Amino acid sequence: MHVRRVPATSTAAPAEAVTGSAWITSLAVPEGPSRTRVDRVQFAPGARTRWHRHPLGQVLVVTEGTGYVQRRGGPAQLIRPGDTVRVAAGEWHWHGATDTTPMTHLAIEELPADGTPTELGDPAGDGEPAAVPAFTRTLLVDQQLAAPRVIDHVEIRRITIAPGEHLGPHVHNGPVFGSIETGSAVYQIEGEPETVLTPGDVFHEPESARIARFDPEGDGVTFLAYFPVGPGETPTLTMLDD
């Protein structure tokens, strides 16, 4: 067993394989009987691979940002943190970031014993129908409120919690909806399982529900919070005893 505390230095992805800027960090290389390679690939906004195919296929696990993946003959599909993509052996495909957001994924691949390399094709979009949808609409949350409310305006706040800070148990005097921008946080409504929120995730804090945890991880967390407010109301947060 070998534990590497600090990942190896990232290197620029080869220009013949990627359009735009991308960086590769090697996390695991074949050793002994194992033929498995694991890389972390970080795409700048707008960067994507060329069409290509792997002799034995590939698994992608999105860890940050938002991107697209497309197999030849199929539509481009939006991928977000936590999504897993299994690419079949010999399947032509491409993957990369959206035009406005970066994207990072793990690439897990078994290498053929005979050394057959990945085959590269044309840049994504060349000779193909439009690779990326010009317009998409994705329903992120459709939440029924606990009780009818009169709402005359909505406050939107950008909130940042520094690393190591713990908000502690609290309640809001109205419903709160949120969307994670950067970082991550452990989130838990009292009596429900914990979950980890990452960029792109949305959440709902019901009115007067006891929020047991909203604890940032790693580099802290920044999110947008939406407060539906009724006439004369002011959104308030009340801290509770642990």
Side-chain angles (χ1 to χ4, degrees):
M1 178 183 292
H2 173 68
V3 177
R4 184 169 63 187
R5 300 296 182 186
V6 180
T9 302
S10 298
T11 59
E16 63 269 20
V18 176
T19 300
S21 298
W23 299 268
I24 300 174
T25 303
S26 176
L27 301 180
V29 297
E31 294 181 359
S34 171
R35 304 304 306 166
T36 301
R37 183 176 70 194
V38 181
D39 294 324
R40 181 172 63 238
V41 186
Q42 299 166 284
F43 294 88
R48 59 190 58 164
T49 69
R50 298 172 72 98
W51 286 99
H52 62 286
R53 58 180 177 178
H54 304 279
L56 300 179
Q58 185 182 51
V59 173
L60 307 175
V61 181
V62 183
T63 59
E64 295 182 76
T66 308
Y68 288 104
V69 65
Q70 183 180 22
R71 65 176 179 84
R72 181 155 288 169
Q77 299 184 62
L78 196 68
I79 49 178
R80 300 173 55 245
D83 289 346
T84 299
V85 180
R86 180 175 292 275
V87 181
E91 183 175 53
W92 284 101
H93 67 289
W94 68 265
H95 39 97
T98 71
D99 289 340
T100 57
T101 62
M103 189 268 288
T104 299
H105 65 54
L106 300 180
I108 306 165
E109 178 183 1
E110 182 181 358
L111 301 181
D114 62 5
T116 302
T118 296
E119 183 178 355
L120 297 176
D122 296 329
D126 285 8
E128 296 284 332
V132 175
F135 177 78
T136 62
R137 294 181 63 186
T138 303
L139 179 65
L140 298 180
V141 61
D142 182 7
Q143 179 65 49
Q144 182 73 35
L145 298 180
R149 292 180 58 88
V150 176
I151 297 171
D152 66 355
H153 68 284
V154 176
E155 290 190 11
I156 304 175
R157 303 176 184 178
R158 176 173 284 111
I159 299 172
T160 296
I161 306 177
E165 295 295 327
H166 299 283
L167 189 56
H170 62 277
V171 298
H172 291 275
N173 65 334
V176 182
F177 296 86
S179 175
I180 304 297
E181 291 191 312
T182 62
S184 61
V186 178
Y187 175 63
Q188 183 184 25
I189 297 175
E190 188 171 82
E192 298 185 9
E194 293 181 356
T195 186
V196 176
L197 301 173
T198 58
D201 287 341
V202 297
F203 61 91
H204 166 234
E205 299 188 7
E207 178 178 356
S208 300
R210 182 180 173 113
I211 307 304
R213 296 191 66 186
F214 203 114
D215 301 335
E217 297 188 315
D219 296 330
V221 65
T222 296
F223 58 95
L224 293 178
Y226 301 80
F227 299 86
V229 182
E233 288 184 331
T234 299
T236 60
L237 177 152
T238 302
M239 301 305 301
L240 304 173
D241 294 332
D242 291 336

